[in-house]
Amino acid sequence: MSQALLCALMAAWSLGKMVHQPERDARTVEGAAVKLDCSYDGAGNLDYILWYKQEAYSSPEFILSLFKIGHGKKAKKYVDRFRSTMNASARQAPLRIERVKPSDSGAFYCAFSIPAPAFL
């Protein structure tokens, strides 16, 4: 029997920029794919998006980062099924989770930042 996945989406402020996650939750079934939207008010060559997952009673856990230019990073745990691409002109960076599992349930955060020079 398939189990439902519930992803709570949270908006975040980062460096005076607003990140928008329009849906408050997303539901799907085990084995399907789900897309979590994220748009941001960035406007520079150094736009940097981060995705985090938080489970109940736990600290947020890093999933991945994206640069407007260059490459970001992805936590090893999320390499196979979690993907995101940045559309800088539309200022969007949705997170896509493939082959959803019940353990994927949690609160997902999208954040905007300008990276420190060491990240470039």
Side-chain angles (χ1 to χ4, degrees):
M1 179 173 205
S2 296
Q3 295 185 16
L5 167 76
L6 175 62
C7 302
L9 304 173
M10 313 302 282
W13 284 90
S14 296
L15 297 174
K17 306 286 184 175
M18 183 64 178
V19 173
H20 309 277
Q21 292 179 263
E23 299 93 11
R24 297 308 291 169
D25 61 50
R27 296 175 189 266
T28 189
V29 294
E30 186 174 3
V34 65
K35 183 178 90 167
L36 308 177
D37 289 323
C38 172
S39 60
Y40 58 96
D41 294 336
N45 287 334
L46 298 179
D47 292 353
Y48 185 57
I49 297 292
L50 301 107
W51 275 97
Y52 294 91
K53 176 186 175 189
Q54 186 172 17
E55 296 178 10
Y57 310 107
S58 298
S59 298
E61 182 178 8
F62 172 79
I63 298 172
L64 59 81
S65 61
L66 298 166
F67 285 105
K68 181 176 178 180
I69 54 174
H71 301 289
K73 296 181 181 183
K74 191 181 292 187
K76 193 172 195 173
K77 175 180 177 178
Y78 298 105
V79 167
D80 293 333
R81 299 181 304 108
F82 289 67
R83 293 175 175 53
S84 186
T85 55
M86 183 183 292
N87 180 337
S89 61
R91 297 184 179 136
Q92 297 177 345
L95 178 68
R96 184 170 173 86
I97 306 171
E98 303 288 341
R99 301 178 310 281
V100 169
K101 300 177 182 180
S103 61
D104 294 332
S105 293
F108 289 80
Y109 300 88
C110 173
F112 175 91
S113 183
I114 297 174
F119 292 149
L120 298 177

